[in-house]
Every structure is written in structure tokens, then in C-alpha cells.
């Protein structure tokens, strides 16, 4: 351990100690020998009493990230230290085993490319370590081939159940519901499920409840992925895999900068977009046998809540040929914005700039340019070459000029105004000048959307410290629809790539 300590930075030492403490806490009891080993590890790492508090600010994901760059010998030494702490009381709990397996998979060079740990905060929904869910962002034919084969599915679910994990695979769950509540002489289709839901979840909309067959037919793996992300406060772009298994490995409390304790949940994500059986069985080998069957908890409860009228979902945002904004996962619900073309133009502009956003100074310099005598004169002209003006803007090679250029490109597509007249620039000027009001119009439009989960993450926000306007929504949730009703990710759309950042 002393040799390992010499190889670690101060942050890596704190990360190692964080993992050690979390493993000790995993079984909800602390053995005196575990305390002795932690005390020894603290001294070896040179973590003073004043520094000890810092580990309570570090999430599991941050700790793994700090250690992932170590050399292979150092990683092996780290895992040996952690294994010695887990085994010191001669009673390895299943929760300790799961957490240790997740740490090993995330650090081991043979698996770290297809395994990662993510941490999320402010989770209120129930989350169980006894269930492992399959989720996908896009269709995965190799996974479907394995999980839809009854023999492979039986093999894998049996292996997972032997180590205490029940697989939640949405297509099979829906199939089971249909079979279990099949029509009989006494009951019509889904009567049993319908009556059960009336007792266990707030139903609200009787028409929705009466059409459970249709509702079940409308939820697929991609939609359920968004349901899970919304309920567990996981950013859509935070998970790097398109088809993966996810299991909760830790529930903890971390200190925020203001000294407030915040609930943090960590998940292990296993990419199974290829080598499906090999990766699942590799994970299973690291765990012990423990069986527990769940009926109405965890992901089953998420599904029931989704089927009820009170369900909310994280929805894709689709922009159609008319420039309308619609929520694809909420029956293409139309969003209504006051001053729509201007509000939508500001929104798409800030979406393109991402989390970095646009600061006040850049907006003000752009407005000052458009308010200059020369440009004011151009606005009076009946004949105006917008293409030449855009080229002129790009020639300035400045942030404020690119801002004006980008707004022109966007507003040309969304508005019905003639860009061949100088008065067109007046609308661009008004967007910049009234950006605060347009921000409120956009946010009100999203806030009014019924059943949209986490509507605030779609909002235009203003960072008072940096005086910056920004949109935090991941562009991965935004699509453009063409005349054939085909959807193109906005990041691959021609207009998106014309914008200058």
C-alpha cells in the first residue's frame, strides 16, 4: 500500500479512500476491523482530519474518473486494497459484492470500454438494486436477436436471478401482461390490470385507462429509456451507450457546496450493443448467489406510472416543415410560444451554442452594430442583398458578427419575412433587443406542456454570475421532420451545420 500511495496524486488518494468508505457502508453495518483498515489507509494516504471531509463531496462517478487514468499495475493494487477491506469481516454482503464488481468493471482495462458508473442527484423515485433494466437509445438488432430468443433469454435471466438480479426487459414484460390478462368469459382484455391499477396508482383519465392495449402498444424501448432518464434525473447525453443494462449500485448522501446534504444514486451501465451474452455472463461471474423476486417495485412501478394519466415523460422535440415545435413522445403535442418566430429563433440559436451560451456583451455589441447609422440606412432600402451582408459579417471574424449571421440563417427559415428587404434586419435587431422577454415566452410554452417531465431542462436560462443566456437541453433530443415525415437529428441537419460557432 505504501508503494501505491507514492504513485497517487492527492485527488486520487481521496478517490481511493472514498471508494473504501463506500464499500464499508454498503452492507449498512461497520465491523471494527473495517474501521481499523480505514484508519490505516487514511494514515498511509496522508489524509488529514481537515481533508477527510472532502470525500463527502465526491460522487462515485467522480472517484472512478479520478482513478481511471492510473497504470494497470496501480489499478490492480487499488482493487487489491478494496478487496481486502470488503473481506476483512469474512461476511461479504450482496450489496458490497455488487459495488465492488461495478468498480472492478469500470477500472479493469478488459471491461472499462463497455462499463461505466454514472452518478445522479436529487432522485425521488424508488430505485432498487435487485432489478437490472435493459434500455436503449436506438434500435439494437444484436440485442433483440439474443433477448427475443426464448432459450438465450432463459439462460441469461436464470444467470442473473442466481446472483439476485431480476431482468426488466420491456418487450417481454408487456408480452407477459397481455398473456396474464387475456380475455376470458368473465373478463374483457386487460380488465385484471385495469382494476389493479385503479387501486395502486392515480388513474385520473378514465379514457386512457380504458385503452390500455393501445397505450401499451405505444411504449417501446426508446420511449421507456426517456421515462427512466426523467424519473432518475439522468441527462440523456450522460450515458455513452445506445443499448445497455443498468443497475443501481449505491445510494448515498453527498455534501453540496452550501453544506446541504443531497441524495445521490449511482448506476452501473453495461454496454451490450455487441457480445451480449459474453458481457452479461462476465458481470454475473463477479457476483454471489442471491434470489429475490419483485412484482410492483422499481421499473415495474415506472411502467405502471407511465400507463396512468399522471405519467410524465422526457420527450424528443421535433421541428416540422412549418417550423412548429412538437413533443414527439407526447402525441406530437404542439408547443405554443408568444412572438413565435422570434422566440423559436432565439431558442435554436442558444441550443446551437450549447451550455457555453451567449453572454450579454456579445448581444450588446451585435445590437450596437445593427443600430449604427450605416445599418439603419440599409434597413430603409427596398432592395437589399442578404447574402452579401452575411459574407460581410463573416469577414469580421468576431463573436458578435457570427451571432448576427446565425440569427439571420435561422430566422430566414422560421419566418415569412422577405430577407431581400433591408427591413428584415429590423426583426433580427428586435430578437436581440427583446431577448429577455422572448426567453420568458419560450419557458412559458414549455411549462404549459402537459405531462412533460423536467420541463425546466428545456428552458432558456440565464447565468447571473457569467451574464450568459444558454439552453441546457441536449441536442440529441431535437429532430427536424422533412416533407416525407422522416426525422433527422438536428445535429446532422444542413442548417445546423451552416451556423458558425
Amino acid at each position: 500500500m505504501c508503494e501505491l500511495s507514492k504513485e497517487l496524486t492527492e485527488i486520487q488518494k481521496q478517490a481511493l479512500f472514498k471508494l473504501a468508505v463506500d464499500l464499508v457502508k454498503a452492507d449498512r453495518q461497520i465491523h471494527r476491523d473495517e474501521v481499523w483498515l480505514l484508519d490505516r489507509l487514511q494514515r498511509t494516504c496522508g489524509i488529514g482530519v481537515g481533508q477527510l471531509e472532502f470525500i463527502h463531496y465526491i460522487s462515485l462517478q467522480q472517484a472512478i474518473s479520478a482513478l481511471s487514468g492510473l497504470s494497470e499495475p496501480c489499478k490492480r493494487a487499488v482493487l487489491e486494497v478494496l478487496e481486502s477491506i470488503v473481506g476483512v469481516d469474512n461476511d461479504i454482503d450482496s450489496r458490497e459484492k455488487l459495488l465492488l464488481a461495478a468498480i472492478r468493471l469500470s477500472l479493469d482495462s478488459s471491461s472499462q470500454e463497455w462499463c461505466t458508473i454514472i452518478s445522479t442527484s436529487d432522485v425521488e423515485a424508488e430505485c432498487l438494486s435487485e432489478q437490472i433494466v435493459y434500455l436503449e437509445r436506438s434500435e439494437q438488432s444484436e440485442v433483440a436477436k439474443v433477448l427475443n430468443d426464448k432459450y438465450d433469454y432463459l439462460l441469461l435471466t436464470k444467470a442473473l436471478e442466481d446472483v439476485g438480479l431480476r431482468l426488466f426487459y420491456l418487450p417481454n414484460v408487456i408480452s407477459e401482461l397481455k398473456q396474464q390478462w387475456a380475455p376470458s368469459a368473465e373478463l374483457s382484455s386487460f380488465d385484471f390490470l385495469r382494476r389493479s391499477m385503479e387501486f395502486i396508482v392515480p388513474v385520473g383519465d378514465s379514457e386512457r385507462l380504458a385503452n390500455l392495449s393501445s397505450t401499451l402498444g405505444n411504449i417501446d424501448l426508446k420511449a421507456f429509456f426517456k421515462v427512466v432518464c426523467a424519473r432518475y434525473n439522468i441527462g440523456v447525453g450522460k450515458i455513452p451507450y445506445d443499448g445497455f443494462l443498468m443497475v443501481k449500485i449505491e445510494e448515498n448522501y453527498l455534501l453540496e457546496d452550501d453544506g446541504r446534504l443531497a441524495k445521490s444514486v449511482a448506476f452501473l451501465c453495461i454496454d451490450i450493443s455487441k457480445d451480449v451474452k459474453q458481457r452479461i455472463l462476465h458481470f454475473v461471474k463477479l457476483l454471489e448467489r442471491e434470489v429475490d423476486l419483485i412484482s410492483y417495485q422499481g421499473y415495474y412501478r415506472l411502467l405502471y406510472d407511465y400507463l396512468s394519466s399522471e405519467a410524465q415523460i422526457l420527450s424528443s422535440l421535433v421541428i416540422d416543415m412549418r417550423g412548429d415545435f412538437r413533443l414527439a413522445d407526447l402525441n406530437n403535442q404542439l408547443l405554443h410560444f408568444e412572438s413565435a418566430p422570434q422566440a423559436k429563433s432565439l431558442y435554436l440559436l442558444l441550443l446551437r451554442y450549447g451550455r457555453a451560451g451567449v453572454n450579454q456583451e456579445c448581444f450588446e455589441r451585435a445590437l450596437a452594430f445593427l443600430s449604427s447609422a450605416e445599418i439603419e440606412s440599409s434597413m430603409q432600402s427596398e432592395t437589399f442583398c442578404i447574402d452579401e451582408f452575411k459574407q460581410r459579417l463573416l469577414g469580421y471574424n468576431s463573436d458578435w458578427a457570427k451571432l448576427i449571421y446565425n440569427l439571420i440563417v435561422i430566422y430566414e427559415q422560421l419566418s415569412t419575412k422577405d430577407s431581400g428587404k433591408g427591413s428584415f434586419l429590423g426583426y433580427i435587431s428586435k430578437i436581440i433587443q427583446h431577448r429577455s422577454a422572448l426567453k420568458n415566452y419560450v419557458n412559458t410554452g414549455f411549462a404549459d406542456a402537459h405531462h412533460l417531465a423536467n420541463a425546466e431542462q428545456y428552458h432558456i436560462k440565464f447565468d447571473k454570475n457569467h451574464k450568459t443566456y444558454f439552453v441546457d437541453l441536449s441536442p440529441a433530443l431535437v429532430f427536424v421532420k422533412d416533407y416525407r415525415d422522416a426525422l433527422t437529428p438536428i445535429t446532422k441537419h444542413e442548417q445546423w451545420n451552416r451556423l458558425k460557432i
Side-chain angles (χ1 to χ4, degrees):
M1 179 59 213
C2 291
E3 291 300 317
L4 172 62
S5 179
K6 295 176 183 178
E7 299 290 328
L8 303 181
T9 65
E10 292 303 313
I11 293 178
Q12 289 170 336
K13 290 176 183 177
Q14 290 176 356
L16 171 58
F17 198 73
K18 154 75 178 177
L19 297 182
V21 170
D22 283 1
L23 281 166
V24 167
K25 294 190 300 182
D27 61 356
R28 305 295 190 267
Q29 57 185 0
I30 300 178
H31 192 274
R32 64 180 180 181
D33 288 343
E34 291 175 329
V35 175
W36 178 82
L37 274 179
L38 286 177
D39 184 66
R40 179 184 173 190
L41 180 61
Q42 181 184 354
R43 292 197 308 271
T44 304
C45 290
I47 299 175
V49 176
Q51 297 173 303
L52 189 59
E53 187 178 1
F54 287 120
I55 69 167
H56 301 297
Y57 289 88
I58 304 173
S59 70
L60 187 61
Q61 180 180 355
Q62 290 169 329
I64 291 295
S65 178
L67 296 171
S68 61
L70 291 174
S71 65
E72 289 306 310
C74 282
K75 287 181 183 178
R76 287 195 294 271
V78 164
L79 290 171
E80 288 175 4
V81 169
L82 298 177
E83 286 171 350
S84 67
I85 291 175
V86 169
V88 69
D89 59 0
N90 296 315
D91 181 21
I92 303 178
D93 183 86
S94 61
R95 289 166 292 196
E96 290 176 307
K97 195 71 175 176
L98 179 58
L99 180 55
L100 183 60
I103 294 170
R104 175 179 289 281
L105 288 168
S106 300
L107 290 180
D108 195 319
S109 60
S110 66
S111 55
Q112 65 179 169
E113 289 185 0
W114 47 273
C115 290
T116 190
I117 289 175
I118 62 169
S119 297
T120 183
S121 58
D122 296 327
V123 177
E124 296 181 358
E126 179 185 28
C127 185
L128 298 176
S129 297
E130 293 84 3
Q131 289 181 7
I132 184 166
V133 63
Y134 173 72
L135 301 169
E136 65 180 31
R137 192 196 316 270
S138 59
E139 187 172 346
Q140 302 296 306
S141 58
E142 185 171 340
V143 178
K145 182 179 179 181
V146 173
L147 295 185
N148 292 336
D149 182 283
K150 62 179 182 180
Y151 297 106
D152 285 339
Y153 183 78
L154 181 62
L155 166 70
L156 295 175
T157 53
K158 178 65 168 60
L160 288 166
E161 287 176 359
D162 283 348
V163 295
L165 295 174
R166 186 176 177 90
L167 176 63
F168 187 97
Y169 178 54
L170 184 67
N172 283 7
V173 170
I174 293 177
S175 178
E176 290 168 5
L177 290 175
K178 289 180 178 178
Q179 292 174 11
Q180 188 166 356
W181 287 289
S184 66
E186 296 78 22
L187 297 174
S188 62
S189 180
F190 294 101
D191 266 1
F192 197 173
L193 174 59
R194 186 179 299 106
R195 291 294 294 148
S196 299
M197 289 182 61
E198 288 174 347
F199 293 120
I200 60 180
V201 294
V203 174
D205 187 350
S206 58
E207 182 178 348
R208 182 182 175 90
L209 186 63
N211 293 292
L212 282 180
S213 180
S214 174
T215 306
L216 282 168
N218 289 333
I219 183 171
D220 58 14
L221 284 165
K222 295 188 286 295
F224 194 63
F225 165 68
K226 294 171 186 174
V227 172
V228 173
C229 286
R231 292 301 297 274
Y232 290 155
N233 201 24
I234 300 172
V236 173
K238 197 171 184 178
I239 302 174
Y241 311 131
D242 289 325
F244 59 98
L245 291 172
M246 188 173 81
V247 60
K248 187 192 83 170
I249 55 175
E250 182 188 72
E251 189 173 298
N252 210 338
Y253 284 89
L254 298 180
L255 280 172
E256 299 286 355
D257 291 339
D258 58 2
R260 178 178 59 89
L261 279 175
K263 183 179 176 181
S264 174
V265 177
F267 297 89
L268 172 67
C269 297
I270 304 173
D271 178 12
I272 59 168
S273 58
K274 60 181 181 179
D275 302 329
V276 182
K277 288 186 284 188
Q278 297 92 319
R279 292 179 178 181
I280 294 176
L281 294 176
H282 180 86
F283 167 61
V284 166
K285 287 180 182 178
L286 300 177
L287 302 175
E288 289 182 333
R289 180 184 181 90
E290 184 181 14
V291 179
D292 191 10
L293 299 179
I294 309 297
S295 58
Y296 177 62
Q297 297 184 72
Y299 297 103
Y300 286 87
R301 183 166 184 170
L302 286 185
L303 177 62
Y304 290 170
D305 288 346
Y306 170 79
L307 296 175
S308 78
S309 66
E310 299 306 310
Q312 293 188 323
I313 188 170
L314 190 69
S315 177
S316 296
L317 178 63
V318 173
I319 305 168
D320 63 21
M321 292 288 291
R322 298 175 55 185
D324 287 334
F325 281 26
R326 295 183 178 273
L327 298 172
D329 299 286
L330 289 170
N331 297 318
N332 285 320
Q333 183 178 152
L334 176 65
L335 293 169
H336 299 281
F337 303 116
E338 191 172 340
S339 298
Q342 293 93 334
K344 292 173 185 176
S345 296
L346 178 65
Y347 189 81
L348 291 179
L349 175 82
L350 295 175
L351 182 70
R352 183 65 180 87
Y353 279 84
R355 186 61 180 81
V358 181
N359 61 45
Q360 287 272 45
E361 182 182 358
C362 185
F363 275 121
E364 292 300 333
R365 293 190 65 183
L367 187 60
F369 176 78
L370 291 172
S371 301
S372 65
E374 176 193 357
I375 305 302
E376 288 281 1
S377 175
S378 299
M379 291 184 189
Q380 308 305 317
S381 174
E382 285 297 319
T383 58
F384 178 73
C385 184
I386 193 68
D387 290 332
E388 288 182 5
F389 185 73
K390 286 190 287 188
Q391 289 303 312
R392 177 184 171 187
L393 287 171
L394 294 180
Y396 287 112
N397 195 29
S398 65
D399 290 341
W400 60 265
K402 292 177 182 177
L403 174 69
I404 299 172
Y405 170 89
N406 291 336
L407 266 178
I408 291 173
V409 171
I410 295 170
Y411 196 65
E412 280 181 309
Q413 295 295 317
L414 290 178
S415 78
T416 58
K417 306 302 179 183
D418 185 359
S419 62
K421 293 182 179 181
S423 58
F424 184 82
L425 294 181
Y427 297 104
I428 303 301
S429 180
K430 288 179 180 178
I431 293 173
I432 298 174
Q433 183 179 0
H434 301 298
R435 58 190 178 275
S436 181
L438 295 175
K439 164 183 170 290
N440 293 333
Y441 296 157
V442 167
N443 294 352
T444 299
F446 280 111
D448 289 343
H450 192 48
H451 293 314
L452 178 63
N454 301 335
E456 65 280 356
Q457 74 172 284
Y458 294 78
H459 287 183
I460 295 177
K461 299 174 183 176
F462 182 72
D463 185 331
K464 294 182 179 178
N465 293 327
H466 298 91
K467 300 189 183 317
T468 300
Y469 290 87
F470 67 96
V471 170
D472 211 13
L473 184 70
S474 169
L477 275 174
V478 185
F479 297 83
V480 177
K481 180 182 288 188
D482 62 20
Y483 66 93
R484 297 168 299 180
D485 287 341
L487 295 180
T488 301
I490 195 169
T491 54
K492 296 182 179 179
H493 195 265
E494 178 186 3
Q495 182 175 314
W496 178 272
N497 293 303
R498 286 175 59 198
L499 304 181
K500 309 297 181 183
I501 304 297

